[in-house]
Coordinates of all heavy atoms in Angstrom, one line a residue:
M619 N 91.4 -113.0 -56.1 CA 90.5 -112.3 -55.1 C 90.0 -111.0 -55.7 O 88.9 -110.6 -55.5 CB 91.3 -112.1 -53.8 CG 90.4 -111.7 -52.7 SD 88.9 -112.7 -52.4 CE 89.5 -114.3 -52.2
Q620 N 90.9 -110.3 -56.4 CA 90.5 -109.0 -57.0 C 89.4 -109.2 -58.0 O 88.5 -108.4 -58.1 CB 91.7 -108.3 -57.6 CG 92.7 -107.8 -56.7 CD 93.8 -108.9 -56.3 OE1 93.7 -110.0 -56.6 NE2 94.8 -108.5 -55.5
A621 N 89.5 -110.2 -58.8 CA 88.5 -110.5 -59.8 C 87.1 -110.8 -59.1 O 86.1 -110.4 -59.6 CB 88.9 -111.6 -60.7
M622 N 87.2 -111.6 -58.1 CA 86.0 -111.9 -57.3 C 85.4 -110.6 -56.7 O 84.1 -110.5 -56.8 CB 86.3 -112.9 -56.2 CG 86.7 -114.3 -56.8 SD 87.3 -115.4 -55.5 CE 85.7 -116.0 -54.9
A623 N 86.2 -109.7 -56.2 CA 85.7 -108.5 -55.7 C 85.1 -107.6 -56.7 O 84.3 -106.7 -56.4 CB 86.8 -107.8 -54.9
C624 N 85.4 -107.9 -58.0 CA 84.8 -107.1 -59.1 C 83.6 -107.8 -59.7 O 83.2 -107.5 -60.8 CB 85.9 -106.9 -60.2 SG 87.2 -105.8 -59.7
S625 N 83.1 -108.8 -59.0 CA 81.9 -109.6 -59.4 C 82.1 -110.3 -60.6 O 81.3 -110.4 -61.5 CB 80.7 -108.6 -59.5 OG 80.3 -108.1 -58.3
L626 N 83.3 -111.0 -60.7 CA 83.5 -111.9 -61.9 C 83.6 -113.3 -61.4 O 84.2 -113.6 -60.4 CB 84.9 -111.5 -62.5 CG 85.0 -110.1 -63.1 CD1 86.4 -109.8 -63.5 CD2 84.0 -110.0 -64.3
P627 N 82.9 -114.2 -62.1 CA 83.1 -115.6 -61.8 C 84.5 -116.1 -62.2 O 85.1 -115.5 -63.1 CB 82.0 -116.3 -62.7 CG 81.9 -115.4 -63.9 CD 82.1 -114.0 -63.3
I628 N 85.0 -117.1 -61.6 CA 86.4 -117.5 -61.8 C 86.4 -118.8 -62.5 O 85.7 -119.8 -62.2 CB 87.1 -117.7 -60.4 CG1 86.9 -116.4 -59.6 CG2 88.5 -118.1 -60.6 CD1 87.5 -115.1 -60.2
V629 N 87.4 -118.9 -63.5 CA 87.7 -120.1 -64.1 C 89.2 -120.3 -63.8 O 90.0 -119.4 -64.2 CB 87.5 -120.1 -65.6 CG1 88.0 -121.4 -66.2 CG2 86.0 -119.9 -66.0
A630 N 89.6 -121.3 -63.1 CA 91.0 -121.5 -62.7 C 91.4 -122.9 -62.5 O 90.5 -123.8 -62.4 CB 91.2 -120.8 -61.3
S631 N 92.7 -123.2 -62.5 CA 93.2 -124.5 -62.2 C 92.9 -124.9 -60.8 O 93.0 -124.1 -59.9 CB 94.7 -124.6 -62.5 OG 94.9 -124.4 -63.9
N632 N 92.6 -126.2 -60.6 CA 92.4 -126.7 -59.3 C 93.7 -127.0 -58.6 O 94.1 -128.1 -58.5 CB 91.5 -127.9 -59.3 CG 90.9 -128.4 -58.0 OD1 91.2 -127.8 -57.0 ND2 90.2 -129.4 -58.0
V633 N 94.3 -125.9 -58.1 CA 95.6 -126.1 -57.4 C 95.5 -125.3 -56.0 O 94.7 -124.5 -55.8 CB 96.8 -125.5 -58.2 CG1 96.9 -126.2 -59.5 CG2 96.5 -124.0 -58.5
N634 N 96.4 -125.7 -55.1 CA 96.5 -125.1 -53.8 C 96.7 -123.6 -54.0 O 97.4 -123.1 -54.9 CB 97.6 -125.6 -53.0 CG 97.4 -127.0 -52.5 OD1 96.2 -127.5 -52.4 ND2 98.4 -127.8 -52.3
G635 N 96.0 -122.8 -53.1 CA 96.1 -121.4 -53.2 C 94.9 -120.8 -54.0 O 94.5 -119.6 -53.9
I636 N 94.4 -121.6 -54.9 CA 93.2 -121.2 -55.7 C 92.0 -121.9 -55.2 O 91.0 -121.3 -54.9 CB 93.4 -121.5 -57.2 CG1 94.6 -120.7 -57.8 CG2 92.1 -121.1 -58.0 CD1 94.5 -119.2 -57.8
S637 N 92.2 -123.2 -55.0 CA 91.1 -124.0 -54.6 C 90.6 -123.7 -53.2 O 89.5 -124.1 -52.8 CB 91.4 -125.5 -54.7 OG 92.5 -125.9 -53.9
N638 N 91.4 -123.1 -52.4 CA 91.0 -122.7 -51.1 C 90.2 -121.4 -51.1 O 89.6 -121.0 -50.1 CB 92.1 -122.6 -50.1 CG 93.1 -121.5 -50.4 OD1 93.3 -121.2 -51.6 ND2 93.8 -120.9 -49.4
M639 N 90.2 -120.7 -52.2 CA 89.4 -119.4 -52.3 C 88.2 -119.6 -53.3 O 87.1 -119.0 -53.1 CB 90.2 -118.3 -52.9 CG 91.2 -117.8 -51.9 SD 92.0 -116.2 -52.4 CE 92.8 -116.8 -53.9
V640 N 88.3 -120.4 -54.3 CA 87.3 -120.6 -55.3 C 86.5 -121.9 -55.0 O 87.1 -123.0 -54.9 CB 87.8 -120.7 -56.7 CG1 86.7 -120.9 -57.7 CG2 88.6 -119.4 -57.0
E641 N 85.2 -121.8 -54.8 CA 84.4 -122.9 -54.5 C 83.8 -123.4 -55.8 O 83.0 -122.7 -56.4 CB 83.3 -122.6 -53.5 CG 82.5 -123.9 -53.1 CD 81.5 -123.6 -52.0 OE1 81.5 -122.5 -51.4 OE2 80.7 -124.6 -51.8
D642 N 84.2 -124.6 -56.3 CA 83.8 -125.1 -57.6 C 82.3 -125.2 -57.6 O 81.6 -125.7 -56.8 CB 84.4 -126.4 -57.9 CG 84.2 -126.9 -59.3 OD1 84.3 -126.1 -60.2 OD2 83.9 -128.1 -59.4
G643 N 81.7 -124.6 -58.7 CA 80.2 -124.7 -58.8 C 79.5 -123.6 -58.0 O 78.3 -123.6 -58.1
V644 N 80.2 -122.8 -57.3 CA 79.5 -121.7 -56.5 C 80.1 -120.4 -56.9 O 79.3 -119.5 -57.2 CB 79.7 -122.0 -55.0 CG1 79.1 -120.9 -54.2 CG2 79.1 -123.3 -54.6
T645 N 81.4 -120.2 -56.7 CA 82.0 -118.9 -57.0 C 82.8 -118.9 -58.3 O 83.3 -117.9 -58.8 CB 83.0 -118.4 -55.9 OG1 84.0 -119.4 -55.8 CG2 82.2 -118.2 -54.6
G646 N 82.9 -120.1 -58.9 CA 83.6 -120.3 -60.2 C 83.7 -121.7 -60.6 O 82.9 -122.6 -60.0
T647 N 84.6 -122.0 -61.5 CA 84.8 -123.3 -62.0 C 86.3 -123.7 -61.8 O 87.1 -123.0 -62.3 CB 84.4 -123.5 -63.4 OG1 83.0 -123.1 -63.6 CG2 84.5 -124.9 -64.0
L648 N 86.5 -124.8 -61.1 CA 87.9 -125.3 -61.0 C 88.1 -126.4 -62.0 O 87.3 -127.3 -62.2 CB 88.2 -125.8 -59.6 CG 88.1 -124.7 -58.5 CD1 88.3 -125.3 -57.1 CD2 89.2 -123.7 -58.7
V649 N 89.2 -126.3 -62.7 CA 89.5 -127.2 -63.8 C 90.8 -128.0 -63.5 O 91.8 -127.4 -62.9 CB 89.8 -126.4 -65.1 CG1 90.1 -127.4 -66.3 CG2 88.5 -125.6 -65.5
T650 N 90.8 -129.3 -63.7 CA 92.0 -130.1 -63.5 C 93.2 -129.5 -64.3 O 93.0 -129.1 -65.5 CB 91.7 -131.5 -64.0 OG1 90.6 -132.0 -63.3 CG2 92.9 -132.4 -63.7
V651 N 94.3 -129.5 -63.7 CA 95.5 -129.0 -64.3 C 95.8 -129.7 -65.7 O 95.6 -130.9 -65.8 CB 96.8 -129.2 -63.4 CG1 98.0 -128.8 -64.1 CG2 96.6 -128.4 -62.1
Q652 N 96.1 -129.0 -66.7 CA 96.4 -129.4 -68.0 C 95.2 -130.1 -68.7 O 95.4 -130.9 -69.6 CB 97.6 -130.4 -68.0 CG 98.9 -129.7 -67.6 CD 100.1 -130.7 -67.6 OE1 100.0 -131.9 -67.8 NE2 101.3 -130.1 -67.5
N653 N 94.1 -129.6 -68.4 CA 92.9 -130.1 -69.1 C 92.3 -128.9 -69.9 O 91.3 -128.2 -69.5 CB 91.8 -130.6 -68.1 CG 90.6 -131.2 -68.7 OD1 90.4 -131.0 -69.9 ND2 89.9 -132.0 -68.0
E654 N 92.9 -128.6 -71.1 CA 92.6 -127.5 -71.9 C 91.2 -127.5 -72.4 O 90.5 -126.5 -72.5 CB 93.6 -127.4 -73.1 CG 95.0 -127.2 -72.7 CD 95.7 -128.5 -72.4 OE1 95.1 -129.6 -72.6 OE2 96.9 -128.4 -72.1
K655 N 90.7 -128.7 -72.7 CA 89.3 -128.8 -73.2 C 88.3 -128.4 -72.2 O 87.3 -127.7 -72.5 CB 89.0 -130.3 -73.7 CG 89.8 -130.6 -75.0 CD 89.4 -132.0 -75.5 CE 90.2 -132.2 -76.8 NZ 89.9 -133.5 -77.4
R656 N 88.5 -128.8 -70.9 CA 87.6 -128.5 -69.8 C 87.7 -127.0 -69.5 O 86.7 -126.3 -69.3 CB 87.9 -129.3 -68.6 CG 87.0 -128.9 -67.4 CD 85.5 -129.3 -67.7 NE 84.6 -128.7 -66.7 CZ 83.7 -127.7 -66.9 NH1 83.5 -127.2 -68.1 NH2 83.0 -127.2 -65.9
L657 N 88.9 -126.4 -69.6 CA 89.1 -125.0 -69.5 C 88.3 -124.2 -70.5 O 87.6 -123.3 -70.1 CB 90.6 -124.6 -69.6 CG 90.9 -123.2 -69.4 CD1 90.7 -122.7 -68.0 CD2 92.4 -122.9 -69.8
A658 N 88.4 -124.6 -71.7 CA 87.7 -123.9 -72.8 C 86.2 -124.1 -72.6 O 85.4 -123.1 -72.8 CB 88.1 -124.5 -74.2
A659 N 85.7 -125.3 -72.2 CA 84.3 -125.5 -72.0 C 83.8 -124.6 -70.8 O 82.7 -124.1 -70.9 CB 84.1 -127.0 -71.7
A660 N 84.6 -124.5 -69.8 CA 84.2 -123.6 -68.6 C 84.0 -122.2 -69.1 O 83.0 -121.5 -68.7 CB 85.2 -123.8 -67.5
I661 N 84.9 -121.7 -69.9 CA 84.8 -120.3 -70.4 C 83.6 -120.2 -71.2 O 82.8 -119.2 -71.1 CB 86.1 -119.9 -71.1 CG1 87.3 -119.9 -70.2 CG2 85.9 -118.6 -71.9 CD1 88.6 -119.8 -70.8
K662 N 83.3 -121.2 -72.1 CA 82.1 -121.1 -72.9 C 80.8 -121.1 -72.1 O 79.9 -120.5 -72.4 CB 82.1 -122.3 -73.9 CG 83.1 -122.1 -75.1 CD 83.0 -123.3 -76.0 CE 83.9 -123.2 -77.1 NZ 83.9 -124.3 -78.0
D663 N 80.9 -121.9 -71.0 CA 79.7 -122.0 -70.1 C 79.3 -120.6 -69.6 O 78.2 -120.2 -69.6 CB 80.0 -122.9 -68.9 CG 80.0 -124.4 -69.3 OD1 79.6 -124.7 -70.4 OD2 80.5 -125.2 -68.5
Y664 N 80.3 -119.8 -69.2 CA 80.1 -118.5 -68.7 C 79.7 -117.5 -69.8 O 78.9 -116.6 -69.6 CB 81.3 -117.9 -68.0 CG 81.5 -118.6 -66.6 CD1 82.7 -119.1 -66.2 CD2 80.4 -118.6 -65.7 CE1 82.8 -119.7 -65.0 CE2 80.6 -119.2 -64.5 CZ 81.8 -119.7 -64.1 OH 82.0 -120.3 -62.9
I665 N 80.2 -117.7 -71.0 CA 79.8 -116.9 -72.1 C 78.3 -117.1 -72.5 O 77.6 -116.1 -72.7 CB 80.7 -117.1 -73.4 CG1 82.1 -116.6 -73.1 CG2 80.1 -116.5 -74.6 CD1 83.2 -117.0 -74.1
Y666 N 77.9 -118.3 -72.6 CA 76.6 -118.6 -73.1 C 75.5 -118.8 -72.0 O 74.3 -118.8 -72.4 CB 76.6 -119.9 -74.0 CG 77.5 -119.6 -75.2 CD1 78.7 -120.3 -75.4 CD2 77.1 -118.7 -76.2 CE1 79.5 -120.0 -76.5 CE2 77.9 -118.5 -77.3 CZ 79.1 -119.1 -77.4 OH 79.8 -118.9 -78.5
D667 N 75.8 -119.0 -70.8 CA 74.8 -119.2 -69.7 C 74.8 -118.0 -68.8 O 75.6 -117.9 -67.8 CB 75.2 -120.5 -69.0 CG 74.1 -120.9 -68.0 OD1 73.3 -120.0 -67.6 OD2 74.0 -122.1 -67.6
E668 N 74.0 -117.0 -69.1 CA 73.9 -115.8 -68.3 C 73.6 -116.0 -66.9 O 74.1 -115.4 -66.0 CB 72.9 -114.8 -69.0 CG 72.8 -113.5 -68.3 CD 71.9 -112.5 -68.9 OE1 71.2 -112.9 -69.9 OE2 71.8 -111.4 -68.4
K669 N 72.6 -116.9 -66.6 CA 72.3 -117.2 -65.2 C 73.4 -117.8 -64.4 O 73.7 -117.3 -63.3 CB 71.1 -118.2 -65.1 CG 70.6 -118.4 -63.7 CD 69.4 -119.3 -63.6 CE 68.9 -119.7 -62.3 NZ 69.7 -119.3 -61.1
L670 N 74.1 -118.7 -65.0 CA 75.3 -119.3 -64.3 C 76.3 -118.2 -64.1 O 76.9 -118.1 -62.9 CB 75.9 -120.4 -65.2 CG 77.2 -121.1 -64.7 CD1 76.9 -121.9 -63.4 CD2 77.9 -121.9 -65.8
R671 N 76.6 -117.4 -65.1 CA 77.6 -116.3 -64.9 C 77.2 -115.4 -63.8 O 78.0 -115.1 -63.0 CB 77.7 -115.6 -66.3 CG 78.8 -114.5 -66.3 CD 78.9 -113.9 -67.7 NE 77.7 -113.2 -68.2 CZ 77.0 -113.6 -69.2 NH1 77.3 -114.7 -69.9 NH2 75.9 -112.9 -69.5
K672 N 76.0 -115.0 -63.8 CA 75.5 -114.0 -62.8 C 75.5 -114.6 -61.4 O 75.9 -114.0 -60.4 CB 74.1 -113.5 -63.1 CG 74.2 -112.5 -64.3 CD 72.8 -111.9 -64.6 CE 72.9 -110.8 -65.7 NZ 71.6 -110.2 -66.0
D673 N 75.0 -115.9 -61.3 CA 75.0 -116.5 -60.0 C 76.4 -116.7 -59.4 O 76.6 -116.4 -58.2 CB 74.3 -117.9 -60.1 CG 72.8 -117.8 -60.3 OD1 72.2 -116.7 -60.2 OD2 72.2 -118.9 -60.6
H674 N 77.3 -117.1 -60.2 CA 78.7 -117.3 -59.7 C 79.3 -115.9 -59.4 O 80.1 -115.8 -58.5 CB 79.5 -118.1 -60.7 CG 79.1 -119.6 -60.7 ND1 79.9 -120.5 -61.4 CD2 78.1 -120.2 -60.1 CE1 79.4 -121.7 -61.2 NE2 78.3 -121.6 -60.4
A675 N 79.0 -114.9 -60.2 CA 79.6 -113.6 -60.0 C 79.1 -113.0 -58.7 O 79.9 -112.5 -57.9 CB 79.2 -112.7 -61.2
V676 N 77.8 -113.2 -58.4 CA 77.3 -112.7 -57.1 C 77.9 -113.4 -55.9 O 78.3 -112.8 -54.9 CB 75.8 -112.8 -57.1 CG1 75.2 -112.5 -55.7 CG2 75.2 -111.8 -58.1
A677 N 78.0 -114.7 -56.0 CA 78.6 -115.5 -55.0 C 80.1 -115.2 -54.8 O 80.6 -115.1 -53.7 CB 78.5 -117.0 -55.3
A678 N 80.8 -114.9 -55.9 CA 82.2 -114.6 -55.8 C 82.4 -113.2 -55.1 O 83.2 -113.1 -54.2 CB 82.8 -114.5 -57.2
F679 N 81.5 -112.2 -55.5 CA 81.6 -110.9 -54.8 C 81.3 -111.0 -53.3 O 82.0 -110.5 -52.5 CB 80.6 -110.0 -55.5 CG 80.5 -108.6 -54.8 CD1 81.5 -107.7 -55.1 CD2 79.5 -108.4 -53.9 CE1 81.4 -106.4 -54.4 CE2 79.5 -107.1 -53.3 CZ 80.4 -106.2 -53.6
N680 N 80.3 -111.8 -53.0 CA 79.9 -112.0 -51.6 C 81.0 -112.6 -50.8 O 81.3 -112.2 -49.7 CB 78.6 -112.7 -51.4 CG 77.4 -112.0 -51.9 OD1 77.4 -110.7 -51.9 ND2 76.4 -112.7 -52.3
Y681 N 81.7 -113.6 -51.4 CA 82.8 -114.3 -50.7 C 83.9 -113.3 -50.5 O 84.5 -113.2 -49.4 CB 83.2 -115.5 -51.5 CG 84.4 -116.2 -50.9 CD1 84.2 -117.1 -49.8 CD2 85.7 -115.9 -51.2 CE1 85.3 -117.7 -49.2 CE2 86.8 -116.5 -50.6 CZ 86.6 -117.5 -49.6 OH 87.6 -118.1 -49.0
A682 N 84.3 -112.6 -51.5 CA 85.4 -111.7 -51.4 C 85.2 -110.6 -50.4 O 86.0 -110.3 -49.6 CB 85.7 -111.1 -52.8
T683 N 84.0 -110.0 -50.4 CA 83.7 -108.9 -49.5 C 83.5 -109.3 -48.1 O 83.8 -108.6 -47.2 CB 82.5 -108.0 -50.0 OG1 81.4 -108.9 -50.1 CG2 82.8 -107.3 -51.3
T684 N 83.0 -110.5 -47.9 CA 82.8 -111.0 -46.6 C 84.1 -111.5 -45.9 O 84.3 -111.2 -44.7 CB 81.8 -112.3 -46.6 OG1 80.6 -111.8 -47.1 CG2 81.7 -112.9 -45.2
N685 N 85.0 -112.1 -46.7 CA 86.2 -112.6 -46.1 C 87.5 -111.8 -46.3 O 88.4 -112.0 -45.6 CB 86.5 -114.0 -46.7 CG 85.4 -115.0 -46.4 OD1 85.3 -115.4 -45.2 ND2 84.5 -115.3 -47.3
F686 N 87.5 -110.8 -47.2 CA 88.7 -110.1 -47.5 C 88.4 -108.6 -47.7 O 89.2 -107.9 -48.4 CB 89.3 -110.7 -48.8 CG 89.8 -112.1 -48.6 CD1 89.0 -113.1 -49.0 CD2 91.0 -112.4 -48.0 CE1 89.4 -114.5 -48.8 CE2 91.4 -113.7 -47.8 CZ 90.6 -114.7 -48.2
S687 N 87.4 -108.1 -47.0 CA 87.2 -106.6 -47.0 C 88.4 -105.9 -46.3 O 89.1 -106.6 -45.6 CB 85.9 -106.3 -46.3 OG 86.0 -106.6 -44.9
N688 N 88.5 -104.6 -46.5 CA 89.5 -103.9 -45.8 C 89.4 -104.1 -44.3 O 90.5 -104.3 -43.6 CB 89.5 -102.4 -46.2 CG 89.8 -102.1 -47.6 OD1 90.5 -102.9 -48.2 ND2 89.4 -101.0 -48.1
Q689 N 88.2 -104.0 -43.8 CA 88.0 -104.1 -42.4 C 88.4 -105.5 -41.9 O 89.1 -105.7 -40.9 CB 86.6 -103.9 -42.0 CG 86.3 -103.8 -40.5 CD 87.1 -102.7 -39.8 OE1 87.2 -101.6 -40.3 NE2 87.6 -103.1 -38.6
K690 N 88.0 -106.5 -42.6 CA 88.4 -107.9 -42.2 C 89.9 -108.1 -42.3 O 90.5 -108.8 -41.4 CB 87.7 -108.9 -43.2 CG 87.7 -110.3 -42.8 CD 86.8 -110.6 -41.7 CE 86.6 -112.1 -41.5 NZ 85.6 -112.4 -40.5
M691 N 90.6 -107.6 -43.3 CA 92.0 -107.8 -43.4 C 92.7 -107.0 -42.2 O 93.7 -107.5 -41.7 CB 92.5 -107.3 -44.7 CG 92.0 -108.1 -45.9 SD 92.3 -109.9 -45.7 CE 94.1 -110.0 -45.8
L692 N 92.2 -105.8 -41.9 CA 92.8 -105.0 -40.8 C 92.7 -105.8 -39.5 O 93.6 -105.9 -38.7 CB 92.1 -103.7 -40.7 CG 92.5 -102.8 -39.5 CD1 94.0 -102.5 -39.6 CD2 91.6 -101.6 -39.4
E693 N 91.5 -106.4 -39.3 CA 91.3 -107.2 -38.0 C 92.3 -108.4 -38.0 O 92.9 -108.7 -37.0 CB 89.9 -107.7 -38.0 CG 88.9 -106.6 -37.7 CD 87.5 -107.1 -37.8 OE1 87.2 -108.3 -37.8 OE2 86.6 -106.2 -38.0
S694 N 92.5 -109.0 -39.1 CA 93.4 -110.2 -39.2 C 94.9 -109.7 -38.9 O 95.6 -110.4 -38.1 CB 93.4 -110.8 -40.6 OG 92.1 -111.4 -40.8
Y695 N 95.3 -108.6 -39.5 CA 96.6 -108.1 -39.2 C 96.8 -107.7 -37.7 O 97.8 -107.9 -37.1 CB 97.0 -107.0 -40.2 CG 97.3 -107.4 -41.5 CD1 96.6 -107.0 -42.6 CD2 98.4 -108.3 -41.8 CE1 96.9 -107.5 -43.9 CE2 98.7 -108.8 -43.0 CZ 98.0 -108.3 -44.1 OH 98.3 -108.8 -45.4
K696 N 95.8 -107.0 -37.2 CA 95.9 -106.6 -35.8 C 96.0 -107.8 -34.9 O 96.8 -107.8 -33.9 CB 94.6 -105.8 -35.4 CG 94.6 -104.4 -35.9 CD 93.3 -103.6 -35.7 CE 92.7 -103.8 -34.4 NZ 91.5 -103.0 -34.2
N697 N 95.3 -108.9 -35.2 CA 95.5 -110.1 -34.4 C 96.9 -110.7 -34.5 O 97.3 -111.3 -33.5 CB 94.4 -111.2 -34.8 CG 93.0 -110.8 -34.4 OD1 92.8 -110.0 -33.5 ND2 92.0 -111.3 -35.2
L698 N 97.5 -110.5 -35.6 CA 98.9 -111.0 -35.7 C 99.9 -110.3 -34.8 O 100.8 -110.8 -34.3 CB 99.4 -110.9 -37.2 CG 98.8 -112.0 -38.2 CD1 99.3 -111.6 -39.6 CD2 99.3 -113.4 -37.8
F699 N 99.7 -109.0 -34.7 CA 100.6 -108.1 -34.1 C 100.3 -107.8 -32.6 O 101.1 -107.3 -31.9 CB 100.8 -106.8 -34.9 CG 101.4 -107.1 -36.2 CD1 100.6 -106.9 -37.4 CD2 102.7 -107.5 -36.4 CE1 101.2 -107.1 -38.6 CE2 103.2 -107.8 -37.6 CZ 102.5 -107.6 -38.8
L700 N 99.1 -108.0 -32.2 CA 98.7 -107.6 -30.9 C 98.5 -108.8 -30.0 O 98.3 -109.9 -30.3 CB 97.4 -106.8 -30.9 CG 97.5 -105.5 -31.6 CD1 96.1 -104.8 -31.7 CD2 98.5 -104.6 -31.0

C-alpha cells in the first residue's frame, strides 16, 4: 500500500493479502507464485513501457488515496470502536 501511495505500479505474487489490493492489469501486475520468468517479464514491461508504467502508477495512487487515506482509516477505526 505504501508503494501505491507513492505512485508506483506493483509487481507482486498473486496471493491473498496482495491480490485483494492490487488489481492485475490496472494498479499493477500479479504473477503466479514461483513463476520467476513472468516476474522478470513484468518488471521489464514497466521498465520499457512508459505508458503502462504511468497508467498503473496513477491507478495505484488513486486506489491507495481513495481507500486508505488517513481520513478513511480514521473513519474505519471509529466504526470499530463506536
Side-chain angles (χ1 to χ4, degrees):
M619 190 53 53
Q620 291 85 353
M622 294 171 81
C624 291
S625 297
L626 294 173
I628 305 301
V629 177
S631 295
N632 191 359
V633 297
N634 290 334
I636 301 295
S637 60
N638 64 330
M639 287 191 297
V640 177
E641 186 175 351
D642 188 41
V644 176
T645 60
T647 302
L648 294 174
V649 179
T650 306
V651 175
Q652 297 183 348
N653 188 342
E654 298 86 3
K655 289 183 180 182
R656 180 64 191 117
L657 178 68
I661 294 168
K662 285 181 182 178
D663 288 345
Y664 286 128
I665 291 170
Y666 296 112
D667 189 337
E668 183 178 2
K669 181 177 178 353
L670 178 70
R671 183 174 65 246
K672 286 183 177 180
D673 288 349
H674 287 190
V676 168
F679 176 80
N680 290 337
Y681 178 83
T683 57
T684 298
N685 295 291
F686 296 97
S687 67
N688 290 341
Q689 186 63 38
K690 190 75 164 183
M691 296 306 295
L692 175 63
E693 290 170 18
S694 295
Y695 283 120
K696 281 173 44 178
N697 290 335
L698 284 175
F699 296 113
L700 299 177

